[in-house]
Amino acid sequence: MATPSRKTATPGPLASKRPLPRDPSSEVPSKRRSSASPAPPPPRPLQSSGPFVEGSIVRIAMENFLTYDICEVSPGPHLNMIIGANGTGKSSIVCAICLGLAGKPAFMGRADKVGFFVKRGCSKGMVEIELFKISGNLVITREIDVAKNQSFWFINKKSTTQKIVEEQVAALNIQVGNLCQFLPQDKVGEFAKLSKIELLEATEKSIGPPEMHRYHCELKNFREKEKQLETSCKEKTEYLEKMIQRNERYKQDVERFYERKRHLDLIEMLEAKRPWVEYENVRQEYEEVKLARDRVKEEVRKLKEGQIPMTHRIEEIEKQRHNLEARIKEKATDIKETSQKCKQKQDVVERKDKHIEELQQALAVKQNEEHDRQRRISNTRKMIEDLQNELKNTENCENLQPQIDAITSDLRQIQDEKALCEGEIIDMRREKETLEKEKKNVEEHIVRFDNLMNQKEDKLRQRYRDTYDAVLWLRNNRDKFKQRVCEPIMLTINMKDNKNAKYVENHISSNDLRAFVFESQEDMEVFLKEVRDNKKLRVNAVMAPEHSCADKAPSVSLNELKQYGFFSYLRELFDAPNPVMSYLCYQYHIHEVPVGTERTRERIERVIQETQLKQFYTAEEKYVVKTSFYSNKHITVNTSLKVAQFLTVTVDLEQRRHLEEQLKEINRKLQAVESGLIALREKNKHLEHRDNELRQKKKELLERKTKKRQLEQKISSKLGSLKLMEQDTCNLEEEERKASTKIKEINVQKAKLVTELTNLIKICTSLHIQKVNLILQNTTVISEKNKLESDYMAASSQLRLTEQHFIELDENRQRLLQKCKELMKRARQVCNLGAEQTVPQEYQTQVPTIPNGHNSSPPMAFQDLPNTLDEIDALLTEERSRASCFTGLNPTVVEEYTKREEEIEQLTEELKIKKVELDKYRESISQVKERWLNPLKELVEKINEKFSNFFSSMQCAGEVDLHTENEEDYDKYGIRIRVKFRSSTQLHELTPHHQSGGERSVSTMLYLMALQELNRCPFRVVDEINQGMDPINERRVFEMVVNTACKENTSQYFFITPKQILYGIASSVNYPTVYQTPWPISQTSLLHTFQPTGLSQCLTIEAA
């Protein structure tokens, strides 16, 4: 905001007219200059007609705080109004009061760190608050260090801690965190958002006696403990009843326990007798197994004696078999050798047969060659005769040479034309290659431009995916629209210099940057129906003006603005389609917004005063100049420019259009070259065809010319070949005689070999017969051996089975013997008898002998019980079933029953103590409730009376009541405000949503005024609460504020507003005005002091 950084406030006509020292190097009061230029003493508090309340603010001093260099304000004891245009520093005084009285920075809603409240560019700041006290004023100083974000506290110029400051402030009943006492500008809307419970707590703290809020907290704590005691008593009572009921049930269980014990004793006796019965049964089984084992042992001995002769016979047969197998192997070897000799003889015979066959084939070949020679001689003679006849008929060819010369001349001419045509084809091919290279380069340049465009589309896709999807849909469905549809503005805008993108992005809203631009309303409706309704995409669309504004001239020529450092209007910084440019000129006046440099920033005051520009840009800031509705003064707002995000990618559309035109020209030239190549190829093809025809004709003439000579040469060649064939003769009869002689010699050798082969075959046959006889003998021996081995195996199997049976019986005997010992041992253990201890005579029935030599002695007590295992098991099962019917019982049931009886007595005593304690808490609650609730109801009734009177004076209705859903829930008590601004409606509770902003402001203000006369706090601050009020309500509320705040014995009141609502209050009121200009600055501080009917002071700060 282009407002001067120094403001000075003077409290009234009695204040000194001296200027405060302006020393840029001074940062806090404790570090001002020494005696060379001493700082003047602080001014005395303003003397008011009414007395100050204990804790009222007498003086506020600020140094390097927000917009102030040095400022000191001395408010009066009653109503203090601070009036000034927006941005002149009214709320800075409110911030100073809050922070100077140990308030939290976050409560102001501006910043969460105290260092942000120091003036920009300064390292330290100071706030000093002087509070009225009868015993002596209290001066609280807060020095703020920006670098460390720390505060240093002083009370009456002595260093102290924040905690001590908070205690001193609280002792004066100052609560800067209570919206009922301190309502800063940024918290006005939050007052209506206070819940009924929060409003009651704030009201108690603000106007109630100090003990009221304490009683309320005690009630909530007592009620919480009462709930805990009620819950504890209820749980203990329920638990006690359950314990009594359970013990009643356990009484029957105890009786059942003793009955079950009788069954268990009988089971114990049966289980004690059972081992003795088991022992006797096992002992008898042992005797039987021992006799069976001895019988099997004798049988094994007899089987072993019967196997000895059979073993000797098997050994003899095995020796005989080995001899026969050795002789069989010898015969096999002889047969193999004889067979090998037979095979060798047979191979020699086969070779002789093959030799005879070769001789016969050689003779057949010579016979075929002789027949073929005779046939070729006959064919050659016939061919010579035909050539001689053709030679006689051949004409004279001397007259063909002129025709051949003419054809040769035509061929030479055609060759020249072909060479010329091929040269032109080569030139055109080179030209085509050159054009194709140029086309490729141009296309690569266009692709690079498209890649830059794709970068913009990628940014759109990453940030606004729905808009990107809509762009893809538009590109595929442009045929659905009657007129031109432009893609989102961020895609169609092309910056001439991407350094200037930040101006355009800061000027055009992000919603419009991603908006589609339409020339037709019908097209826009079709687009939105398809994209928004059907595809559920969140997109923006705008209409271009019916009459284009793209070429609209600016109201001020750029040449006139260049003296201030402006170099261009926004419209000239980029290119865009005509509908987009027209919309931006119409909506954002880009043709009227100039862009400047740092030079513009240096001359900013001249620009604002001389150019009448509404908006303009410097190198790094945007300026908006407005005129105050109240004072017709210029208000300038400057903001830093954000970094460009979407328009930094620059595509030179003019160069791209030039490249597209160049590409079209290259394609046209390529088509022309291609057409020329096709024509030349056709011409070359025609010349080639004509050349082939002439060559064929010349060839035919040459062949006719050379035919006679060729015929003579052929006849001579054929006669030579015939002579050679006649000389190459062969004597077939001689060759046949030689072949027959050789075949006879081979057949004689072959007969001799066949005789030798026959003798060898006979020998081999005899050896085979001998081998077969030996194999038969060996088979008989093996058969006999197998029969003996089978008998032996059967006997061995019987022996093994018998031996296995013997082993099993012996193992069973050992097992039974061991089991007898174990059963005896267990039986004695069951009867508690030692290994050597004898059973008393009165328990003995018999004394059997056991295998280990010990005596068994079942007790006499067992004789009444069954003597068999089945009977014992049956009786055991019956008794166990009866005992199992008594489920859920155990040996400790009686002990638990007794223990539970004791616990019931103890629990009954504890319950009595808890009930006594609960009665005491209820009595305390009743006493505290009476001390808290009755005064609270009286207080709320007073607030309601004043609140209703205020609303009635405005022809409206309002009431305040104490609201709770349950009288015993003290943490749910709250103050409910209900208002009615129209006679046709009912009273409605004040909420952030039901009433309008002005109605909430009026209700809030009247509630605070209702608290004013009841208030025990020393001062109240209300900042710009009248912003949403209409003029009538604003005037009525202000009159009530004046009448209420200016009564005797009321607390101090600070009312901050930007509106000039003072004028015209009453004609009899005196309005003395003091104009003060402490030092030459570009702003005049107008300081008005009004004192109508107790109105202490009004500080007006206006921007020139």
Side-chain angles (χ1 to χ4, degrees):
M1 186 178 294
T3 55
S5 59
R6 296 181 180 85
K7 301 181 180 68
T8 304
T10 304
L14 300 180
S16 173
K17 299 300 187 293
R18 52 138 184 92
L20 292 174
R22 180 175 180 267
D23 185 2
S25 62
S26 63
E27 296 178 346
V28 294
S30 61
K31 295 182 180 179
R32 296 187 180 181
R33 298 213 174 159
S34 60
S35 58
S37 56
R44 295 181 179 275
L46 179 66
Q47 298 298 321
S48 174
S49 59
F52 280 97
V53 178
E54 182 93 357
S56 297
I57 298 176
V58 177
R59 180 174 58 87
I60 306 168
M62 296 165 283
E63 185 172 329
N64 296 333
F65 187 79
L66 291 177
T67 58
Y68 295 108
D69 282 338
I70 298 176
C71 180
E72 188 169 298
V73 179
S74 298
H78 296 298
L79 178 61
N80 297 272
M81 294 194 63
I82 303 175
I83 302 174
N86 290 332
T88 53
K90 304 182 302 300
S91 296
S92 299
I93 298 174
V94 177
C95 294
I97 295 173
C98 178
L99 296 180
L101 297 177
K104 304 295 182 184
F107 179 71
M108 302 303 300
R110 290 195 173 196
D112 57 351
K113 294 182 178 180
V114 70
F116 291 151
F117 289 86
V118 177
K119 184 179 178 183
R120 194 172 183 180
C122 297
S123 61
K124 292 185 179 180
M126 182 275 292
V127 175
E128 187 171 274
I129 307 292
E130 184 175 350
L131 302 176
F132 176 78
K133 285 185 72 173
I134 298 174
S135 60
N137 288 359
L138 182 70
V139 180
I140 299 174
T141 306
R142 182 174 189 170
E143 296 181 2
I144 303 170
D145 190 326
V146 177
K148 298 180 181 180
N149 193 39
Q150 290 182 348
S151 297
F152 302 96
W153 296 89
F154 301 88
I155 294 180
N156 295 331
K157 304 302 180 181
K158 294 180 181 180
S159 178
T160 186
T161 62
Q162 182 175 349
K163 184 176 180 181
I164 295 176
V165 173
E166 291 173 351
E167 292 173 355
Q168 293 279 357
V169 170
L172 295 173
N173 201 23
I174 298 174
Q175 305 167 18
V176 292
N178 190 339
L179 294 182
C180 290
Q181 179 178 346
F182 197 93
L183 191 62
Q185 177 181 353
D186 295 321
K187 295 289 183 176
V188 171
E190 291 188 13
F191 186 88
K193 297 179 183 178
L194 288 177
S195 66
K196 294 186 285 292
I197 299 170
E198 293 171 338
L199 185 58
L200 173 61
E201 184 177 352
T203 303
E204 287 177 343
K205 292 179 180 178
S206 177
I207 65 172
E211 67 273 6
M212 179 175 285
H213 182 64
R214 177 169 54 82
Y215 287 155
H216 192 184
C217 294
E218 288 179 1
L219 274 176
K220 289 189 281 187
N221 293 334
F222 285 157
R223 177 56 182 162
E224 185 65 27
K225 292 180 180 178
E226 181 188 14
K227 288 180 180 179
Q228 294 175 0
L229 285 172
E230 287 176 348
T231 303
S232 177
C233 289
K234 183 179 178 181
E235 291 175 353
K236 287 184 180 295
T237 302
E238 292 175 354
Y239 183 66
L240 180 60
E241 291 175 356
K242 290 180 181 179
M243 293 283 285
I244 294 172
Q245 293 174 3
R246 189 179 300 172
N247 242 20
E248 287 296 324
R249 291 197 305 270
Y250 282 175
K251 189 174 183 180
Q252 299 175 359
D253 293 342
V254 171
E255 295 175 356
R256 295 173 65 231
F257 172 78
Y258 287 112
E259 185 178 354
R260 178 174 177 270
K261 190 173 185 305
R262 287 193 296 272
H263 292 290
L264 293 177
D265 291 341
L266 180 55
I267 291 170
E268 185 178 356
M269 292 292 292
L270 290 170
E271 289 177 345
K273 182 174 182 179
R274 196 177 190 283
W276 293 98
V277 177
E278 284 181 340
Y279 163 74
E280 183 60 27
N281 293 339
V282 172
R283 188 189 64 77
Q284 293 176 2
E285 186 180 356
Y286 166 78
E287 294 295 338
E288 294 173 0
V289 169
K290 182 180 178 183
L291 293 174
R293 188 203 67 156
D294 293 340
R295 288 195 300 270
V296 172
K297 184 177 181 181
E298 182 63 23
E299 187 178 352
V300 168
R301 184 185 63 78
K302 291 179 180 179
L303 287 173
K304 286 182 178 180
E305 291 176 353
Q307 281 186 329
I308 294 174
M310 199 179 297
T311 304
H312 293 324
R313 178 59 183 161
I314 290 172
E315 291 175 354
E316 292 176 357
I317 291 174
E318 183 65 22
K319 290 179 182 179
Q320 187 179 355
R321 186 181 68 80
H322 283 308
N323 292 332
L324 288 172
E325 286 181 352
R327 292 174 63 190
I328 290 170
K329 288 181 181 178
E330 291 177 358
K331 295 299 179 182
T333 302
D334 294 341
I335 291 170
K336 183 177 179 182
E337 292 175 354
T338 305
S339 297
Q340 189 68 29
K341 292 178 181 178
C342 288
K343 188 174 184 306
Q344 291 174 356
K345 295 296 180 183
Q346 189 174 0
D347 291 342
V348 174
V349 172
E350 289 176 354
R351 286 198 294 273
K352 296 296 181 182
D353 290 338
K354 188 173 181 181
H355 191 192
I356 293 171
E357 185 179 353
E358 290 174 353
L359 290 173
Q360 290 173 349
Q361 288 178 354
L363 179 61
V365 168
K366 289 181 180 180
Q367 290 174 347
N368 291 333
E369 287 177 353
E370 180 60 23
H371 292 317
D372 185 60
R373 187 179 69 81
Q374 293 297 331
R375 182 180 56 75
R376 285 190 283 110
I377 288 172
S378 175
N379 291 336
T380 302
R381 286 174 179 172
K382 185 178 180 182
M383 191 179 296
I384 290 171
E385 185 178 353
D386 292 338
L387 289 172
Q388 288 175 348
N389 292 333
E390 187 177 356
L391 181 61
K392 290 178 183 179
N393 297 327
T394 302
E395 63 179 348
N396 190 4
C397 299
E398 294 177 357
N399 55 355
L400 296 175
Q401 189 61 39
Q403 297 180 25
I404 294 171
D405 294 340
I407 292 172
T408 303
S409 177
D410 292 342
L411 281 171
R412 190 177 297 109
Q413 184 177 357
I414 287 173
Q415 289 293 333
D416 293 340
E417 291 180 3
K418 279 180 65 179
L420 182 61
C421 182
E422 289 175 353
E424 291 179 357
I425 289 173
I426 291 170
D427 292 340
M428 282 196 171
R429 283 178 178 170
R430 289 174 180 170
E431 184 178 358
K432 182 180 178 182
E433 290 175 356
T434 303
L435 289 173
E436 286 177 345
K437 289 180 181 179
E438 292 179 2
K439 179 181 178 181
K440 184 177 179 181
N441 291 333
V442 172
E443 287 175 343
E444 288 176 353
H445 278 81
I446 292 175
V447 167
R448 283 197 289 271
F449 280 115
D450 292 340
N451 289 337
L452 293 174
M453 196 65 185
N454 290 337
Q455 292 180 18
K456 297 175 75 174
E457 292 177 4
D458 287 341
K459 290 185 177 181
L460 177 65
R461 176 175 55 80
Q462 294 171 6
R463 186 71 179 271
Y464 307 109
R465 184 55 188 257
D466 286 0
T467 305
Y468 177 76
D469 293 341
V471 170
L472 298 181
W473 181 88
L474 175 63
R475 291 175 180 174
N476 295 327
N477 298 274
R478 287 193 179 273
D479 55 338
K480 295 185 178 181
F481 304 101
K482 297 179 181 179
Q483 296 189 29
R484 184 176 183 183
V485 179
C486 295
E487 293 182 358
I489 294 176
M490 67 171 63
L491 296 182
T492 56
I493 284 180
N494 182 53
M495 299 301 303
K496 296 179 180 178
D497 187 348
N498 56 10
K499 295 179 181 178
N500 298 324
K502 59 183 178 181
Y503 303 116
V504 180
E505 285 198 24
N506 279 271
H507 193 73
I508 303 173
S509 70
S510 61
N511 286 336
D512 277 356
L513 277 176
R514 56 190 178 96
F516 294 80
V517 183
F518 293 83
E519 292 183 330
S520 167
Q521 182 69 29
E522 182 181 353
D523 287 346
M524 187 168 74
E525 291 175 358
V526 170
F527 176 80
L528 293 178
K529 181 178 180 181
E530 180 66 30
V531 175
R532 280 188 182 171
D533 300 341
N534 297 342
K535 294 187 174 296
K536 308 299 181 184
L537 299 178
R538 293 176 293 179
V539 297
N540 297 334
V542 296
M543 276 289 299
E546 184 177 355
H547 301 291
S548 177
C549 301
D551 300 325
K552 193 173 181 180
S555 58
V556 181
S557 172
L558 184 62
N559 292 330
E560 297 179 14
L561 299 176
K562 286 185 177 179
Q563 59 178 321
Y564 303 108
F566 293 107
F567 64 88
S568 174
Y569 280 102
L570 277 179
R571 182 176 60 184
E572 277 68 43
L573 296 180
F574 62 89
D575 295 322
N578 189 69
V580 175
M581 189 67 78
S582 177
Y583 172 76
L584 295 178
C585 289
Y586 175 80
Q587 184 67 27
Y588 291 95
H589 306 288
I590 58 175
H591 62 291
E592 296 282 2
V593 180
V595 180
T597 59
E598 285 297 332
R599 182 183 172 193
T600 309
R601 177 69 182 86
E602 296 170 357
R603 305 183 178 188
I604 192 65
E605 295 181 359
R606 286 186 57 199
V607 172
I608 295 172
Q609 295 174 1
E610 298 176 5
T611 61
Q612 302 299 319
L613 292 172
K614 301 297 183 183
Q615 295 185 64
F616 58 89
Y617 289 87
T618 63
E620 297 297 335
E621 293 179 317
K622 175 183 178 181
Y623 285 81
V624 179
V625 182
K626 297 181 181 179
T627 303
S628 173
F629 179 76
Y630 304 100
S631 61
N632 290 327
K633 303 298 181 179
H634 291 307
I635 299 174
T636 306
V637 179
N638 63 315
T639 55
S640 298
L641 298 180
K642 299 178 181 177
V643 179
Q645 297 179 358
F646 300 105
L647 303 180
T648 53
V649 179
T650 302
V651 181
D652 192 342
L653 296 180
E654 184 63 32
Q655 186 178 356
R656 193 182 189 282
R657 283 195 293 271
H658 176 70
L659 288 172
E660 289 178 348
E661 292 175 359
Q662 187 177 350
L663 183 62
K664 290 179 182 178
E665 180 64 22
I666 291 172
N667 287 331
R668 186 188 63 75
K669 289 181 180 180
L670 279 173
Q671 290 178 355
V673 170
E674 190 65 32
S675 301
L677 277 173
I678 293 172
L680 288 173
R681 289 193 185 103
E682 287 294 328
K683 181 179 179 182
N684 191 43
K685 184 177 179 181
H686 176 71
L687 292 173
E688 187 70 28
H689 181 69
R690 178 63 179 160
D691 182 74
N692 291 336
E693 288 179 350
L694 291 175
R695 286 181 182 279
Q696 184 63 29
K697 190 174 182 181
K698 182 179 179 181
K699 181 180 178 183
E700 291 175 354
L701 292 174
L702 289 172
E703 287 178 352
R704 288 171 59 189
K705 182 179 179 181
T706 58
K707 187 174 181 180
K708 182 177 181 181
R709 184 170 63 253
Q710 289 174 352
L711 289 172
E712 291 174 349
Q713 290 176 353
K714 286 182 179 179
I715 291 170
S716 176
S717 174
K718 294 296 181 182
L719 289 172
S721 300
L722 179 62
K723 185 177 181 181
L724 291 173
M725 284 189 289
E726 288 176 345
Q727 291 176 355
D728 188 16
T729 59
C730 179
N731 191 351
L732 287 176
E733 294 179 355
E734 181 65 24
E735 292 294 332
E736 290 175 356
R737 185 183 62 79
K738 290 180 180 178
S740 178
T741 302
K742 289 182 179 179
I743 290 171
K744 287 179 180 179
E745 292 176 354
I746 292 171
N747 283 333
V748 172
Q749 296 173 2
K750 182 180 175 183
K752 185 178 179 182
L753 289 170
V754 169
T755 302
E756 293 176 355
L757 178 60
T758 302
N759 293 333
L760 288 172
I761 290 172
K762 289 179 180 179
I763 294 170
C764 187
T765 302
S766 176
L767 290 172
H768 273 292
I769 292 170
Q770 294 175 11
K771 181 182 176 184
V772 169
N773 291 332
L774 290 172
I775 290 172
L776 289 173
Q777 292 178 17
N778 189 41
T779 303
T780 303
V781 171
I782 291 173
S783 176
E784 183 180 358
K785 179 189 173 186
N786 289 338
K787 184 176 181 303
L788 288 171
E789 286 180 345
S790 177
D791 294 341
Y792 181 81
M793 291 299 294
S796 298
S797 177
Q798 180 64 30
L799 178 60
R800 282 196 301 274
L801 290 174
T802 305
E803 288 177 342
Q804 184 66 30
H805 190 203
F806 172 78
I807 292 170
E808 291 175 355
L809 289 172
D810 191 59
E811 290 176 352
N812 196 15
R813 184 188 68 83
Q814 294 291 338
R815 180 181 60 79
L816 290 172
L817 178 61
Q818 185 63 30
K819 189 174 182 181
C820 283
K821 294 178 180 180
E822 292 174 355
L823 288 173
M824 172 60 75
K825 183 178 180 181
R826 190 175 69 176
R828 287 180 171 273
Q829 288 176 350
V830 170
C831 295
N832 294 322
L833 298 176
E836 303 297 332
Q837 187 178 358
T838 59
V839 181
Q841 186 64 34
E842 58 270 19
Y843 295 107
Q844 294 181 0
T845 55
Q846 57 182 349
V847 186
T849 303
I850 59 172
N852 59 4
H854 294 285
N855 295 329
S856 62
S857 303
M860 291 286 293
F862 295 160
Q863 62 185 1
D864 296 331
L865 300 176
N867 295 319
T868 64
L869 288 175
D870 293 338
E871 292 175 348
I872 290 173
D873 290 339
L875 187 55
L876 271 173
T877 303
E878 181 181 352
E879 292 299 322
R880 283 171 179 164
S881 298
R882 290 179 179 178
S884 64
C885 293
F886 300 94
T887 56
L889 301 176
N890 54 62
T892 61
V893 66
V894 178
E895 182 182 351
E896 291 180 359
Y897 179 82
T898 306
K899 186 185 297 183
R900 198 173 290 109
E901 284 290 337
E902 296 174 356
E903 190 175 351
I904 288 171
E905 293 178 2
Q906 182 181 356
L907 194 60
T908 304
E909 186 64 27
E910 290 179 0
L911 186 58
K912 290 179 182 178
I913 297 173
K914 289 287 184 182
K915 287 182 178 180
V916 171
E917 187 178 358
L918 179 59
D919 292 338
K920 290 181 179 178
Y921 268 107
R922 286 174 176 169
E923 184 179 355
S924 299
I925 289 173
S926 177
Q927 295 173 358
V928 176
K929 179 180 178 182
E930 185 177 355
R931 291 196 294 267
W932 170 74
L933 189 57
N934 294 334
L936 178 62
K937 287 181 178 179
E938 294 176 3
L939 184 64
V940 172
E941 186 61 34
K942 292 178 182 178
I943 296 172
N944 178 50
E945 180 182 354
K946 295 184 180 296
F947 187 76
S948 300
N949 291 338
F950 288 143
F951 262 89
S952 298
S953 66
M954 296 178 65
Q955 286 78 46
C956 300
E959 67 177 29
V960 177
D961 62 356
L962 189 63
H963 178 266
T964 183
E965 296 178 358
N966 184 1
E967 190 174 338
E968 300 300 326
D969 291 337
Y970 303 106
D971 55 342
K972 300 295 178 62
Y973 275 78
I975 287 182
R976 179 174 61 180
I977 301 176
R978 297 194 298 166
V979 295
K980 181 177 74 171
F981 287 89
R982 285 167 288 280
S983 59
S984 59
T985 61
Q986 300 293 328
L987 285 170
H988 289 285
E989 186 176 344
L990 181 65
T991 65
H993 313 293
H994 190 276
Q995 288 81 14
S996 67
E999 291 172 346
R1000 291 197 302 272
S1001 297
V1002 170
S1003 302
T1004 302
M1005 195 66 197
L1006 293 183
Y1007 184 80
L1008 295 177
M1009 288 163 51
L1011 302 181
Q1012 177 67 17
E1013 294 184 2
L1014 305 173
N1015 196 9
R1016 294 295 178 267
C1017 61
F1019 66 86
R1020 177 175 283 104
V1021 177
V1022 179
D1023 188 0
E1024 295 194 20
I1025 198 171
N1026 60 327
Q1027 281 297 83
M1029 300 183 190
D1030 56 70
I1032 296 175
N1033 286 332
E1034 187 177 51
R1035 173 63 58 186
R1036 290 174 178 173
V1037 169
F1038 179 70
E1039 290 175 356
M1040 294 179 189
V1041 169
V1042 172
N1043 295 332
T1044 303
C1046 294
K1047 292 180 180 180
E1048 292 296 329
N1049 299 322
T1050 58
S1051 60
Q1052 197 176 31
Y1053 206 99
F1054 291 88
F1055 190 85
I1056 292 90
T1057 177
K1059 301 181 180 181
Q1060 298 286 357
I1061 58 177
L1062 285 173
Y1063 304 118
I1065 294 177
S1067 58
S1068 61
V1069 177
N1070 183 26
Y1071 304 102
T1073 304
V1074 177
Y1075 296 88
Q1076 180 182 12
T1077 306
W1079 47 73
I1081 55 175
S1082 60
Q1083 174 189 8
T1084 303
S1085 301
L1086 305 179
L1087 304 152
H1088 308 290
T1089 302
F1090 303 90
Q1091 293 179 329
T1093 323
L1095 178 60
S1096 298
Q1097 181 170 329
C1098 176
L1099 172 62
T1100 304
I1101 304 175
E1102 293 186 356

